[in-house]
């Protein structure tokens, strides 16, 4: 069964009191008015433990990143074993900000996926093209290459434990959302690549989220597309009412 998910990527936002206020507003909203999807919250590392306690069984908690190493002398890094020991069940891997600002390439991202699988943490693996790549009509190929050197080096069993997030880089934080048609076209492409590599069953069941300026106004149009199984939400996830509205649009 393909799981429907709305995930919040808080990025480097919110002080501790603000984070607690936000998570409490979200869990209160979800407990009053249940949604039919899974809700996943990805706060900064330092709030993870607190959030695991706050969300109880109403939502799930994700890290925004993890180390590609298992343990040892890697100052400033956080391992998936540490995340698992807190009860963190998801981890965003390969967000375009990690790729562009921190230079994370496919080799490192492939290792991060492995670290997640080892600890039974579900990676939310982000892929997506730059504006120039879309303008030069190479977006399908770019996304295929991102998958070939990372997820597609694993087995079908591991692939089945992965959530994909298609995030066109030109739509992230820009207010420029992909149209539902553009997003559906790419999600269909991604699902067909997964089918060719891992078979129809894995492809049918894998969750593919859309991310990039998805908000309370445009979520409904995106979420009704047959290959869009939810969203990875940045800016609009920082306001409880907006985020709750988005969660309710996923049916
Ligand atoms: P955005 O961010 O919703 O603010 O565009 C999405 C993301 O970066 O995951």
């Amino acid at each position: 069964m393909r799981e429907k998910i709305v995930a919040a990527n808080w990025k480097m936002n919110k002080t501790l009191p603000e984070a607690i206020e936000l998570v409490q507003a979200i869990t209160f909203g979800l407990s009053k008015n249940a949604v039919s999807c899974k809700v996943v919250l990805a706060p900064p590392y330092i709030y993870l433990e607190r959030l695991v306690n706050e969300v109880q069984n109403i939502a799930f908690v994700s890290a925004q990143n993890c180390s590609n190493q298992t343990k040892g002398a890697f100052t400033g890094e956080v391992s998936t074993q540490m995340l698992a020991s807190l009860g963190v069940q998801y981890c965003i891997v390969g967000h375009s900000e990690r790729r562009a600002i921190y230079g994370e390439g496919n080799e490192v991202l492939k290792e991060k996926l492995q670290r997640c699988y080892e600890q039974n943490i579900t990676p939310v693996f982000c892929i997506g093209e730059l504006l120039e790549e879309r303008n030069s009509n190479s977006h399908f190929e770019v996304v295929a290459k991102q998958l070939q050197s990372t997820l597609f080096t694993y087995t079908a069993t591991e692939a089945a434990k992965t959530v994909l997030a298609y995030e066109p880089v030109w739509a992230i934080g820009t207010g420029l959302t992909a149209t539902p048609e553009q997003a559906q076209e790419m999600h269909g492409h991604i699902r067909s690549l997964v089918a060719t590599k891992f078979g129809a069953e894995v492809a049918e069941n894998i969750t593919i989220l859309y991310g990039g300026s998805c908000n309370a106004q445009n979520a409904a149009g995106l979420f009704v597309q047959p290959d869009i199984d939810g969203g990875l939400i940045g800016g609009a996830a920082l306001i409880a009412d907006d985020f709750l509205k988005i969660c309710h649009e996923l049916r």
Side-chain angles (χ1 to χ4, degrees):
M1 230 320 246
R2 204 187 296 173
E3 205 157 46
K4 303 261 182 178
I5 298 174
V6 175
N9 178 8
W10 291 3
K11 308 192 180 183
M12 197 173 74
N13 291 295
K14 304 287 177 188
T15 61
L16 178 61
E18 290 166 350
I20 294 169
E21 192 184 333
L22 179 56
V23 66
Q24 288 179 345
I26 291 169
T27 49
F28 179 71
L30 294 173
S31 63
K32 258 193 359 195
N33 211 343
V35 289
S36 53
C37 62
K38 219 174 193 182
V39 175
V40 177
L41 305 177
Y45 279 140
I46 51 169
Y47 308 145
L48 284 169
E49 187 177 9
R50 181 64 191 257
L51 250 75
V52 167
N53 291 323
E54 290 286 343
V55 297
Q56 307 284 344
N57 53 2
I58 296 174
F60 295 80
V61 176
S62 172
Q64 296 174 13
N65 183 28
C66 64
S67 175
N68 61 325
Q69 305 289 339
T70 50
K71 68 188 317 194
F74 300 102
T75 301
E77 291 292 280
V78 173
S79 72
T80 50
Q81 189 180 26
M82 295 170 186
L83 297 174
S85 74
L86 297 183
V88 171
Q89 289 172 285
Y90 290 82
C91 181
I92 299 172
V93 173
H95 189 280
S96 67
E97 287 150 20
R98 301 291 324 167
R99 292 178 192 255
I101 307 170
Y102 299 99
E104 294 185 6
N106 289 328
E107 194 51 39
V108 162
L109 299 177
K110 181 180 147 182
E111 290 167 358
K112 291 188 179 202
L113 288 176
Q114 176 66 26
R115 298 290 92 78
C116 287
Y117 298 136
E118 284 165 4
Q119 295 296 329
N120 278 323
I121 288 177
T122 304
V124 179
F125 185 51
C126 304
I127 50 178
E129 81 285 356
L130 305 171
L131 185 59
E132 357 7 324
E133 292 164 338
R134 178 160 284 264
N135 287 342
S136 64
N137 215 23
S138 56
H139 46 300
F140 292 121
E141 195 186 316
V142 165
V143 164
K145 279 206 180 121
Q146 288 173 336
L147 287 169
Q148 271 148 17
S149 48
T150 54
L151 183 69
F152 288 3
T153 64
Y154 291 100
T155 64
T157 313
E158 284 154 338
K161 294 183 199 158
T162 308
V163 169
L164 288 173
Y166 167 58
E167 298 207 306
V169 180
W170 48 272
I172 297 176
T174 59
L176 282 177
T177 325
T179 64
E181 295 71 27
Q182 284 174 321
Q184 168 55 32
E185 190 184 27
M186 182 59 91
H187 280 232
H189 171 67
I190 294 167
R191 206 178 294 286
S192 74
L193 293 170
V194 173
T196 306
K197 176 70 194 171
F198 297 116
E201 197 184 331
V202 175
E204 189 45 45
N205 290 317
I206 199 163
T207 298
I208 310 176
L209 308 180
Y210 169 79
S213 297
C214 181
N215 58 38
Q217 286 72 47
N218 61 29
L222 290 159
F223 293 171
V224 293
Q225 300 301 318
D227 288 302
I228 300 183
D229 309 312
L232 179 54
I233 320 296
L238 297 173
I239 300 157
D241 284 349
D242 285 4
F243 183 66
L244 287 166
K245 256 191 223 143
I246 296 170
C247 295
H248 281 286
E249 296 295 0
L250 188 56
R251 307 207 172 94

